[in-house]
Amino acid sequence: MKIKITETVLRDGQQSLMATRMPIEDFLPVLEKMDQAGYYSMECWGGATFDSCLRYLDEDPWQRLRTIRKHVKNTKLQMLLRGQNLLGYKHYPDDIVRAFVRKSVECGIDIIRIFDALNDLRNIEVAVDEAIKAGAHVSGTLCYTTSPIHSLDMFVDLGKQLEKMGCHSICIKDMAGIMSPKEAYDLVSALKQNVKLPIVVHTHGTTGMGSMTLLKAAEAGADVIDCAIACLSGGTSQPPTETMHYVLEEMGWETGLDKNVLKEINDFFKPVRDSFIKSGMLNPIVMGTDPDALNYQVPGGMLSNLVAQLTAQNKLDRFQEVLEEVPRVRKDLGYPPLVTPSSQMVGVQATNNVLAGERYKMVSKEIKAYLRGEYGKAPGQVDEDLRKKVLGDEQPVTCRFADLLEPGFEKYKAEIGDLARTEEDVLSYAAFPQVAEAFLERRKEREERAVKYSIEEM
Ligand code: CO
């Protein structure tokens, strides 16, 4: 029996524990070692890493990827992509999506895991198509959630559609760590019976079920599981790589991992972890177990956002009420899975509903866009009264929203002008206009300063 392991420490691990603030210098020295561990792949890009590089770390995300590729010659590099949302929070025009996917592969990505927050597969069509054309392995993704309308049949049906789209594997993405061992066993078994593709299972340790869930997924025939190196595992991160390797090997699986190399990798990351604890960026609380997610379905990242949001408004005493409002807002919106960007939308709205003292007195522009159908089709029925209250007589769109968007690349290129020197720069700007423009300006100033100093020295 064989099972493969994806190492997530460079993307989801650090994203879930320390808000994606790990600069490349912190892991550059260990990349060649990681390349020898025997991982199926290293998830190292996409998700929030792109935004974080530009916004907080003053790093060019494309350069980060190329540098990783230079040091990791054998192991497959993997990224997470939000379909038509790319790595941002809104829908981009098709030409931007295609160029972004092509560039990602060109800069070194082998595997692209592609999802849509609402599981509206029209929103991943273009990205999947372009990734296949670019020669990447496409992992078509189901966002796992539970609700009165989500069922095993619904997920199996999605799996079949992903297979038809030409995806090379299917990933069950349990972003909140709410998939129980039994549910994982049943879902992986059902997918195995109905599709021929390898099954990848992604979960989090938030509720304490993570490693049990992965073990039962393995028993049901999962081909790949996501883990994080021990010292940055558990809690809101993934279950520990070394522990899963130990347990699986004992039960007769071959993981292909070298435990001595894993130990060296873990030893490398311990002081990195400690420095983030010291700076306050990594709160050890998130490494613990929180069964609240089982009751409220709130993913780890969303919990910390809610706390931050309420703290900023000096309203942390309303936390419990907000938490209880989350499932009600979710029901009104037709049970969207809570994952970026829907988790933020639901969280903000639940907070507004509680703090305003009246539900939907204040409605965010994202919720308006959602009700207009701009994020795709809701999994269930949207509350009709809410729709009328917010949209009046306006009819929601029913087509794929990106069909209504004009091509954008040339427009962005003209707008950003000389600040962009490469196609990558234009794509950064298209993805995050203000953040990328500020980054490109800082880069320019830095270079001008460097030129000035070198002239003075002469
Ligand atoms: Co995740």
Side-chain angles (χ1 to χ4, degrees):
M1 290 189 294
K2 282 203 165 105
I3 191 158
K4 294 173 188 151
I5 293 184
T6 291
E7 173 60 54
T8 65
V9 67
L10 302 182
R11 205 286 297 175
D12 206 6
Q14 61 132 339
Q15 179 171 331
S16 302
L17 292 177
M18 48 178 77
T20 336
R21 296 297 209 282
M22 207 188 273
I24 192 166
E25 305 89 75
D26 279 10
F27 59 80
L28 194 58
V30 80
L31 286 175
E32 270 139 31
K33 187 57 71 186
M34 291 180 79
D35 197 20
Q36 296 160 17
Y39 296 126
Y40 165 69
S41 65
M42 285 160 59
E43 193 196 32
C44 63
W45 209 64
T49 62
F50 194 92
D51 187 2
S52 179
C53 275
L54 292 170
R55 195 184 296 263
Y56 305 113
L57 301 174
D58 222 1
E59 244 185 74
D60 181 347
W62 302 99
Q63 188 52 47
R64 170 183 283 214
L65 174 56
R66 277 192 297 258
T67 305
I68 297 173
R69 179 80 282 175
K70 215 172 85 197
H71 293 270
V72 180
K73 298 212 162 60
N74 307 303
T75 312
K76 291 191 169 82
L77 297 183
Q78 183 173 319
M79 74 177 286
L80 178 69
L81 189 84
R82 302 176 191 135
Q84 205 73 27
N85 292 329
L86 294 174
L87 305 176
Y89 313 99
K90 59 170 193 187
H91 281 212
Y92 297 98
D94 288 341
D95 67 328
I96 302 279
V97 171
R98 288 189 185 278
F100 202 100
V101 168
R102 220 170 37 239
K103 232 345 141 192
S104 306
V105 176
E106 225 176 275
C107 291
I109 289 294
D110 301 293
I111 301 174
I112 311 189
R113 179 179 291 174
I114 307 178
F115 76 94
D116 174 66
L118 301 178
N119 287 321
D120 182 342
L121 299 186
R122 294 173 305 173
N123 293 336
I124 68 167
E125 262 167 25
V126 171
V128 167
D129 179 64
E130 191 64 34
I132 293 172
K133 283 182 183 147
H137 172 114
V138 179
S139 204
T141 302
L142 316 167
C143 291
Y144 185 78
T145 188
T146 57
S147 82
I149 60 143
H150 285 89
S151 64
L152 200 60
D153 289 346
M154 193 174 179
F155 286 119
V156 168
D157 188 55
L158 282 167
K160 287 182 185 165
Q161 289 179 54
L162 291 170
E163 185 171 46
K164 260 198 216 118
M165 287 168 80
C167 295
H168 305 104
S169 62
I170 292 174
C171 172
I172 304 166
K173 178 180 165 65
D174 172 27
M175 53 278 170
I178 54 162
M179 182 164 62
S180 70
K182 179 183 184 301
E183 287 165 0
Y185 187 86
D186 292 346
L187 180 51
V188 173
S189 304
L191 285 170
K192 278 279 168 187
Q193 276 161 23
N194 287 281
V195 295
K196 293 187 192 66
L197 303 179
I199 307 296
V200 183
V201 180
H202 173 86
T203 186
H204 289 254
T206 323
T207 60
M209 296 191 292
S211 27
M212 293 185 275
T213 295
L214 291 184
L215 184 60
K216 290 305 280 184
E219 285 182 355
D223 300 272
V224 182
I225 54 172
D226 282 6
C227 299
I229 200 78
C231 72
L232 288 168
S233 73
T236 51
S237 177
Q238 270 69 54
T241 309
E242 296 93 317
T243 314
M244 288 311 300
H245 161 79
Y246 182 91
V247 168
L248 289 166
E249 292 258 311
E250 188 185 51
M251 292 174 78
W253 275 279
E254 277 172 46
T255 67
L257 291 177
D258 181 331
K259 71 172 197 281
N260 297 321
V261 176
L262 293 181
K263 177 166 169 38
E264 288 182 57
I265 297 167
N266 192 40
D267 285 345
F268 174 88
F269 277 109
K270 279 179 195 165
V272 176
R273 173 201 57 191
D274 294 346
S275 73
F276 277 90
I277 292 178
K278 211 168 156 201
S279 72
M281 196 45 88
L282 169 54
N283 184 339
I285 285 177
V286 301
M287 302 181 93
T289 302
D290 184 359
D292 269 357
L294 290 174
N295 301 325
Y296 307 111
Q297 296 249 326
V298 177
M302 183 176 167
L303 271 178
S304 48
N305 274 343
L306 284 178
V307 170
Q309 208 182 320
L310 288 168
T311 309
Q313 298 180 67
N314 222 346
K315 291 279 164 41
L316 197 56
D317 55 317
R318 312 293 295 273
F319 184 56
Q320 188 59 31
E321 283 169 80
V322 172
L323 219 47
E324 284 163 16
E325 175 67 1
V326 167
R328 290 193 287 263
V329 172
R330 189 168 168 245
K331 174 168 184 277
D332 294 339
L333 297 178
Y335 299 106
L338 295 181
V339 62
T340 307
S342 54
S343 49
Q344 284 83 345
M345 285 158 51
V346 170
V348 169
Q349 192 58 50
T351 309
N352 287 349
N353 286 359
V354 169
L355 297 187
E358 183 191 323
R359 303 188 76 223
Y360 304 108
K361 189 176 174 188
M362 277 161 39
V363 176
S364 70
K365 72 177 202 301
E366 287 80 14
I367 294 280
K368 272 182 202 149
Y370 178 95
L371 293 171
R372 278 194 206 106
E374 293 181 15
Y375 286 92
K377 192 176 174 306
Q381 284 296 322
V382 168
D383 184 82
E384 241 349 275
D385 293 338
L386 173 62
R387 173 127 66 198
K388 281 210 187 83
K389 179 172 176 174
V390 176
L391 297 188
D393 292 333
E394 193 188 334
Q395 286 304 308
V397 298
T398 52
C399 66
R400 188 184 73 107
F401 183 63
D403 284 336
L404 305 174
L405 302 174
E406 295 290 329
F409 190 85
E410 291 305 324
K411 186 189 83 159
Y412 285 117
K413 192 176 165 188
E415 249 177 55
I416 191 67
D418 286 348
L419 272 182
R421 293 185 208 126
T422 58
E423 192 183 341
E424 288 99 305
D425 290 344
V426 178
L427 289 170
S428 298
Y429 177 68
F432 295 100
Q434 284 149 352
V435 174
E437 187 175 4
F439 166 80
L440 294 172
E441 265 168 12
R442 285 196 304 273
R443 183 178 74 181
K444 193 175 163 205
E445 280 163 23
R446 236 187 345 259
E447 285 170 1
E448 282 169 357
R449 254 198 327 269
V451 170
K452 190 167 156 255
Y453 287 138
S454 65
I455 290 171
E456 279 169 5
E457 274 164 20
M458 283 196 289

